[in-house]
Amino acid sequence: MSKSPFLNQVRTELRTRQYSLRTEKSYLHWIKCFIRFHDLSHPQKMGNQEIEHFLNHLAVDRHVSAATQNQALCAIIFLYRHVIGREIVDLRYQNTRTPKRIPTVLGEEEVKMVMAHLKGKYWLITAILYGAGLRIQEALSLRVKDIDFASQAIFIFNGKGRKDRYSLLPKSLFEPLKSQIEVVKKIHQQDISQGAGMSSVPPAIYRKYKDSLKTQGWQFLFPSTHRCMHPYDGYLCRHHLHASAYARQLRQAVSASNIVKRVTAHTFRHSFATRLLENGTDIRTVQELLGHTDLRTTEIYTHVVGNRRAGTISPVDFL
């Protein structure tokens, strides 16, 4: 916990409203930046002018992205609405519109090239991203019990927007997944022999299933290398692999593949959706598999497919 009673109050409010740990860390970061920017003045004594000054500083002086500006604004609005107890109105600053861009997509050969330079769990994570269209945090948060070989489905618990859904479980991944589950089993047995064996779970699940959390089904499919103390409930547990560890391996694989496109974990999700549409999958099915609330979010992939299938020939090709 922070030494500041005020920041502890903010943290308590975030946890009471069940914000994710990532959001908690992000909001606390921006709130601290806001307070430090104004020479440690208490937010109670500040208002619209100070908020606008800080947000303009981020945009003009620090050149942060539109998404980062919006995140900082959301953190400050949360602070005043739920902690200070004051609504911020007539703010001369609106959410910055994030530019709509066509997503970067890899072709099948490019995917093969990248995956050829990945091994073990990093290869398997990439295969799940591309084969099931998961976000990186969804893939890393998978537990052994979420893999349903009988139904050929992957269960995604509490995905973006706090929604549960199912996605495809590719048949070609059956054996690699079973091998990974055996790895998890060995790590889990070692933890139990050392008096541990608990998996990291949200507080509400901890209270409800506390006696079951040492079972193999609750263990993460891609466990972290080291155990840690749970940030909320304080018990010794094993969390999942950190996204930065995967990102590091992916950068190396992309570099070794000599691919000039900007490739991130999300690129495989984009490629999954595009490939399904190219193969004639109904867009509503793609929307369901991706977990999109709004069909318009899914429709962006039709632009990628359209660009490739329009059949338009460039004039230079006639020369």
Side-chain angles (χ1 to χ4, degrees):
M1 281 287 189
S2 170
K3 294 181 181 180
S4 166
F6 179 73
L7 290 178
N8 282 338
Q9 184 183 353
V10 176
R11 182 181 285 105
T12 299
E13 196 65 39
L14 284 161
R15 293 185 179 182
T16 301
R17 298 176 182 277
Q18 298 186 346
Y19 280 71
S20 71
L21 188 59
R22 293 177 69 201
T23 302
E24 176 185 314
K25 289 179 178 178
S26 173
Y27 276 25
L28 285 171
H29 167 74
W30 288 118
I31 289 169
K32 284 189 280 188
C33 287
F34 173 60
I35 294 172
R36 287 170 182 162
F37 179 74
H38 290 293
D39 300 320
L40 303 182
S41 297
H42 196 286
Q44 184 74 56
K45 300 178 181 179
M46 298 189 282
N48 285 31
Q49 184 177 351
E50 288 79 8
I51 296 172
E52 291 163 4
H53 190 191
F54 174 66
L55 294 173
N56 287 331
H57 159 71
L58 294 181
V60 177
D61 300 326
R62 291 184 53 181
H63 307 290
V64 302
S65 68
T68 301
Q69 292 175 49
N70 292 339
Q71 188 180 67
L73 176 59
C74 288
I76 294 171
I77 294 298
F78 177 91
L79 168 69
Y80 279 92
R81 177 176 296 160
H82 299 298
V83 181
I84 303 297
R86 186 202 317 166
E87 287 291 339
I88 297 298
V89 295
D90 299 326
L91 192 67
R92 290 186 298 176
Y93 188 96
Q94 299 296 326
N95 272 3
T96 306
R97 295 187 64 178
T98 305
K100 293 291 183 182
R101 295 190 174 94
I102 301 296
T104 299
V105 173
L106 296 178
E108 290 182 9
E109 289 303 316
E110 290 173 318
V111 173
K112 289 180 182 178
M113 290 167 60
V114 173
M115 293 185 67
H117 290 92
L118 292 166
K119 296 180 180 179
K121 59 189 175 186
Y122 299 107
W123 180 93
L124 183 54
I125 292 169
T126 307
I128 291 173
L129 297 176
Y130 181 62
L134 272 60
R135 302 174 179 91
I136 183 59
Q137 283 300 135
E138 293 172 343
L140 296 178
S141 299
L142 289 175
R143 301 178 190 271
V144 172
K145 65 182 182 62
D146 297 332
I147 306 300
D148 189 341
F149 292 105
S151 300
Q152 297 183 29
I154 297 177
F155 176 64
I156 298 96
F157 169 74
N158 201 24
K160 188 174 181 180
R162 299 181 180 180
K163 294 181 296 182
D164 300 343
R165 74 179 193 280
Y166 283 96
S167 191
L168 308 175
L169 175 56
K171 289 183 179 180
S172 60
L173 298 186
F174 276 26
E175 292 307 314
L177 280 167
K178 289 177 181 178
S179 297
Q180 179 62 23
I181 290 173
E182 285 300 312
V183 171
V184 173
K185 184 177 179 181
K186 290 179 181 178
I187 294 174
H188 184 223
Q189 288 174 342
Q190 184 178 6
D191 284 349
I192 290 177
S193 69
Q194 296 174 354
M198 294 281 279
S199 180
S200 172
V201 295
I205 293 180
Y206 175 73
R207 290 190 292 271
K208 187 174 182 180
Y209 297 106
K210 184 177 180 180
D211 296 333
S212 305
L213 298 182
K214 280 193 175 183
T215 60
Q216 184 179 325
W218 279 99
Q219 304 307 305
F220 284 112
L221 189 60
F222 303 105
S224 61
T225 307
H226 304 287
R227 296 190 294 260
C228 64
M229 299 303 294
H230 195 277
Y232 293 161
D233 297 308
Y235 58 90
L236 185 63
C237 61
R238 190 178 289 275
H239 201 53
H240 59 67
L241 184 74
H242 198 277
S244 61
Y246 173 77
R248 185 164 52 250
Q249 294 292 324
L250 179 59
R251 282 196 300 270
Q252 294 174 3
V254 173
S255 177
S257 304
N258 294 319
I259 293 175
V260 296
K261 295 178 181 177
R262 180 178 179 271
V263 179
T264 66
H266 216 67
T267 304
F268 295 102
R269 176 173 162 88
H270 294 323
S271 303
F272 165 82
T274 304
R275 204 95 322 119
L276 289 185
L277 290 172
E278 286 178 339
N279 293 333
T281 304
D282 179 77
I283 192 170
R284 292 284 182 182
T285 302
V286 178
Q287 177 191 9
E288 183 179 336
L289 291 172
L290 293 175
H292 287 162
T293 302
D294 194 332
L295 184 62
R296 287 176 294 183
T297 308
T298 316
E299 285 176 346
I300 193 170
Y301 298 110
T302 62
H303 296 299
V304 180
V305 176
N307 288 343
R308 293 183 173 188
R309 292 209 164 181
T312 303
I313 302 174
S314 169
V316 76
D317 289 336
F318 290 103
L319 296 180

